[in-house]
Amino acid sequence: MGYNSLLEKMKKIYLLVFAFSISISMLNAATISLAVMDFKPGSSKTDNLEGLSDMLINSLYDSGNYEIIERGQINYALKELGLQGKTLSIADLTKMGQYLKVSHILVGTVNFIPTGNSSEVGFLEGEYNIDVRIVDVKTSRVVATAGVTKNSSQTYRSLMPDLASQLSQKININTVPCLQGYLYVYPEYLGYSTKS
């Protein structure tokens, strides 16, 4: 095998390795930039929701699929855009996302559904339904929804990993195009041959 022939074959190997490494790096970089808004109460029984969105943020972050904007930046954006205390429309969420330079925004609602009377006078038994959706800032469309139900034997925190998992399965995490390739190395490419 001549020097030029070996050089050509080595170039082919190099190009395959290069394409493969680009593919891996692009897959690793395929995260979604996300702003998680405070959850809103869907009924008077769900008015104390402070910290619930933070619990979900922990589970979303742990999945490795999201780059999450810090709460302080969201609060600043709400103030700057005059959206504090407002029920945000899809148009408002899109404006927020553009201001924050994120690709997606997550919003959530918690509703109490009564299932009967409690043994304690004046209290209702029931369940809390947590429903979330992710809005694509560019298209103003909902691209993923998920929900979990909390009953009296569960904690909100215990439900967050399931909620995060549902979202990751429904939203297309690999949003960037990637090159795919396979690395084939034949003995003759290296100047060796098993042929007799």
Side-chain angles (χ1 to χ4, degrees), residues 31 61 74 76 79 88 104 106 151 178 188:
T31 56
Y61 180 80
I74 293 171
Y76 183 79
K79 182 179 176 184
L88 302 180
H104 295 79
L106 182 145
N151 57 42
C178 67
E188 57 266 24

Side-chain angles (χ1 to χ4, degrees), residues 28-37 57 60-61 63-70 73-74 93 96-106 133-138 143 171-176:
N28 289 338
T31 56
I32 290 175
S33 56
L34 182 69
V36 179
M37 306 300 291
I57 285 171
L60 290 170
Y61 180 80
S63 76
N65 295 324
Y66 304 92
E67 292 176 3
I68 299 172
I69 298 300
E70 181 54 47
Q73 291 178 283
I74 293 171
L93 292 173
M96 275 279 299
Q98 291 168 345
Y99 185 89
L100 291 167
K101 295 182 173 67
V102 295
S103 62
H104 295 79
I105 292 188
L106 182 145
R133 63 189 188 276
I134 293 181
V135 177
D136 184 316
V137 170
K138 195 172 186 179
V143 293
I171 195 166
N172 183 10
I173 295 298
N174 296 319
T175 54
V176 296

Side-chain angles (χ1 to χ4, degrees), residues 76-97:
Y76 183 79
L78 286 168
K79 182 179 176 184
E80 286 295 303
L81 297 171
L83 299 174
Q84 282 181 317
K86 229 181 121 176
T87 300
L88 302 180
S89 66
I90 293 288
D92 293 331
L93 292 173
T94 300
K95 190 189 296 186
M96 275 279 299

